């Protein structure tokens, strides 16, 4: 058996970021940029009012909180409009949020602090404000030429808003990885038909397609391939021609009849691993050279559903994320309190028990571990939100701290 860290770094070093492309802004959420993005424009492009109210000269209303001041309203300006005159002492302009701030005035007073008179021709103000109040200066968010996002930024929803605000409509980024998923096994049924003797429902592909989508990949479901070397080879070779990575499920454990080993050993540069973890001890990784001469990473996940998921999380997901240019690819690990004792035997492996955890009022993460920890028992794992890393040994007592990898962060 090899340590998990060795397997992870072996996989990671073979999985380099793919080339970036030009993409419309709307297609770039979650992607990693490959160029510095500079502001092409200032935001806001002009000074404007932060409130619905009146643009005034602050000095005119300096005493208004003790004695109300009445001003002449010389214009009304809405967002998208513009007032070309100049506000003089004794005057105000009725102004809406976002409307260009008129020359001469130096502060906005909220409409709530005012009373309109003479059908809007005059306004009584009963509060004082300092110069600059509720005026948003041109460039007060973004100054033209400023570095908005350095190359390597993961674009979030607000970043897309920022880029739109300075008219950046196309960006250079690493695209979603095109990943093909294949499950293997004569026993697998995924067409909804009745189960024959010895048959089971295919479930790994359903799970992996979804998990890959959540990891930001564009996923092709290549279906179930029977335990037939020719069929498998054809599917894998074709997949390598139009995908950036391939994920297979099944056929990588010891003493298998599956042809996965035979085919992959023949057509790809594979490393067959036994990793010192439970579940998900067997794992294969390699590179399949496609017709264009590109080396396409192949992740051979085990068939047991829980093992398949855990090896996806620990080995495939970080590597695939790094191929999309992410540098922060690992899940968050917290030190958490095990509310129950966890018994285990010394076996040279770190156990990744599926646990359900929460951040509690005592300022600590706590978790409980379900009893169904078999590698075929996916249903409990589905209600867990973490993997507790129980080190080799006799287990832990209730109240002990254990590192937990949070599956949602
Ligand atoms: P294997 O890794 O192919 O030896 O399979 C190990 C176990 O996982 C066997 O019980 C298989 O029937 C089961 N299994 C393999 N592939 C899948 C799958 N795609 N969905 C559900 N169970 C599977
Ligand atoms: Mg199999």
């Amino acid at each position: 058996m090899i340590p998990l860290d060795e397997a992870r770094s072996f996989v990671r070093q073979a999985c380099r970021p793919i080339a970036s492309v030009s993409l419309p802004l709307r297609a770039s959420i979650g992607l990693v940029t490959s160029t510095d993005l500079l502001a092409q424009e200032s935001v806001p492009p002009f000074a404007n009012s932060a409130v619905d109210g009146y643009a005034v000269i602050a000095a005119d209303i300096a005493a208004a909180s003790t004695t109300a001041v009445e001003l002449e309203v010389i214009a009304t300006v809405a967002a998208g409009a513009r007032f070309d005159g100049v506000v003089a002492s004794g005057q105000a302009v009725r102004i809406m949020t976002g409307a260009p701030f008129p020359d001469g005035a130096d502060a906005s007073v909220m409409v709530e602090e005012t009373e309109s008179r003479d059908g809007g021709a005059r306004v009584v103000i009963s509060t004082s404000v300092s110069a600059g109040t509720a005026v948003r200066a041109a460039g007060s968010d973004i100054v033209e030429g400023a570095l908005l996002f350095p190359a390597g930024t993961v674009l979030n929803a607000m970043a897309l808003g920022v880029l739109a605000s300075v008219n950046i409509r196309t960006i250079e980024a690493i695209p979603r990885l095109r990943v093909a998923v294949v499950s293997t096994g004569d026993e697998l049924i995924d067409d909804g038909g009745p189960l024959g003797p010895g048959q089971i429902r295919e479930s790994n592909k359903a799970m992996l397609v979804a998990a890959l989508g959540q990891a930001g990949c564009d996923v092709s479901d290549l279906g179930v391939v029977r335990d037939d070397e020719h069929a498998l080879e054809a599917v894998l070779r074709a997949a390598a021609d139009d995908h950036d990575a391939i994920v297979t499920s099944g056929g990588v454990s010891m003493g298998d009849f599956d042809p996965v080993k035979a085919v992959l050993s023949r057509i790809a540069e594979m490393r067959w691993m036994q990793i010192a973890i439970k579940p998900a001890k067997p794992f294969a990784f390699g590179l399949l050279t496609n017709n264009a001469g590109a080396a396409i990473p192949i992740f051979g996940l085990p068939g047991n559903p829980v093992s398949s998921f855990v090896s996806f999380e620990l080995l495939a997901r970080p590597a695939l994320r790094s191929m999309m240019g992410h540098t922060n690819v690992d899940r968050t690990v917290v030190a958490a309190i095990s509310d129950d004792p966890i018994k285990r035997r010394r076996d040279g492996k770190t156990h990744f028990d599926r646990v359900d955890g929460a951040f509690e009022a005592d300022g600590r993460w706590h978790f409980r571990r379900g009893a169904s920890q078999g590698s075929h028992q996916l249903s409990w794992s589905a209600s867990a939100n973490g993997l507790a890393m129980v080190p080799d040994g006799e287990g832990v007592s209730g109240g002990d701290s254990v590192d937990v990898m949070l599956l949602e962060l």
Side-chain angles (χ1 to χ4, degrees):
M1 290 192 298
I2 60 168
L4 176 62
D5 283 348
E6 181 185 330
R8 279 161 61 95
S9 44
F10 177 79
V11 171
R12 279 287 294 284
Q13 59 81 29
C15 291
R16 297 292 168 201
I18 61 166
S20 58
V21 296
S22 271
L23 288 163
L25 188 63
R26 65 173 181 281
S28 66
I29 182 69
L31 302 186
V32 177
T33 61
S34 54
T35 58
D36 289 348
L37 291 167
L38 306 183
Q40 304 182 153
E41 297 174 359
S42 290
V43 180
F46 50 85
N48 65 84
S49 178
V51 297
D52 290 318
Y54 290 86
V56 300
I57 298 168
D60 278 356
I61 58 164
S65 13
T66 36
T67 318
V69 172
E70 195 171 305
L71 301 173
E72 176 197 0
V73 179
I74 57 169
T76 295
V77 54
R82 189 181 142 81
F83 170 63
D84 283 325
V86 178
V87 177
S89 183
Q91 297 181 329
V93 165
R94 175 87 173 98
I95 194 164
M96 308 306 156
T97 304
F101 201 76
D103 288 342
D106 61 9
S108 279
V109 178
M110 290 169 78
V111 70
E112 293 87 335
E113 313 273 7
T114 68
E115 228 181 284
S116 178
R117 290 279 160 82
D118 298 350
R122 302 188 68 75
V123 61
V124 175
I125 297 180
S126 43
T127 187
S128 62
V129 293
S130 50
T133 298
V135 182
R136 305 189 284 211
S140 55
D141 183 12
I142 297 167
V143 176
E144 184 180 342
L147 174 62
L148 293 173
F149 304 110
T153 298
V154 183
L155 294 175
N156 62 19
M158 281 189 280
L160 266 50
V162 168
L163 294 169
S165 77
V166 298
N167 199 30
I168 293 180
R169 302 163 68 86
T170 304
I171 58 137
E172 299 292 317
I174 302 184
R176 291 177 185 282
L177 215 58
R178 299 162 307 162
V179 181
V181 183
V182 182
S183 23
T184 64
D186 277 345
E187 73 279 31
L188 304 175
I189 295 294
D190 75 344
D191 63 2
L195 294 178
Q199 292 184 324
I200 61 166
R201 304 286 175 198
E202 195 295 324
S203 59
N204 290 350
K205 197 162 50 64
M207 170 178 76
L208 293 169
V209 165
L212 283 159
Q214 286 183 324
C217 302
D218 251 342
V219 194
S220 308
D221 178 348
L222 301 189
V224 175
V225 181
R226 299 291 146 215
D227 289 330
D228 168 90
E229 287 195 30
H230 293 295
L232 187 59
E233 176 170 348
V235 167
L236 293 176
R237 284 198 188 279
D241 283 335
D242 51 11
H243 294 88
D244 304 302
I246 298 171
V247 173
T248 67
S249 146
V252 296
S253 22
M254 303 285 257
D256 251 308
F257 291 106
D258 296 62
V260 175
K261 270 185 177 154
V263 172
L264 283 179
S265 301
R266 181 156 45 76
I267 69 172
E269 194 74 45
M270 295 300 295
R271 180 167 173 190
W272 304 90
M273 302 178 217
Q274 298 291 321
I275 306 175
I277 57 174
K278 181 184 175 181
K281 182 171 68 136
F283 173 73
F285 176 78
L287 297 170
L288 171 54
T289 303
N290 67 15
N291 282 315
I296 304 300
I298 299 196
F299 299 83
L301 309 184
N304 273 312
V306 176
S307 306
S308 208
F309 181 77
V310 169
S311 65
F312 172 78
E313 271 294 330
L314 298 181
L315 292 141
R317 184 180 179 277
L320 295 169
R321 302 270 299 160
S322 73
M323 290 177 77
M324 290 187 283
H326 292 270
T327 48
N328 185 8
V329 294
D330 291 325
R331 298 289 199 183
T332 300
V333 174
V334 295
I337 304 295
S338 180
D339 285 342
D340 309 309
I342 301 178
K343 282 213 182 74
R344 54 157 291 176
R345 293 219 189 88
R346 188 172 291 280
D347 57 7
K349 300 177 197 165
T350 302
H351 290 192
F352 284 81
D353 289 357
R354 279 74 61 212
V355 300
D356 186 22
F359 188 71
E360 293 186 2
D362 62 354
R364 301 294 311 258
W365 281 83
H366 286 252
F367 67 85
R368 61 190 188 90
R369 171 189 184 272
S372 309
Q373 295 285 336
S375 63
H376 65 295
Q377 294 173 306
L378 191 62
S379 64
W380 157 253
S381 296
S383 37
N385 62 3
L387 297 175
M389 300 184 240
V390 187
D392 194 19
E394 305 303 319
V396 300
S397 312
D400 282 357
S401 178
V402 177
D403 283 349
V404 172
M405 179 183 294
L406 301 176
L407 292 173
E408 279 143 28
L409 289 174

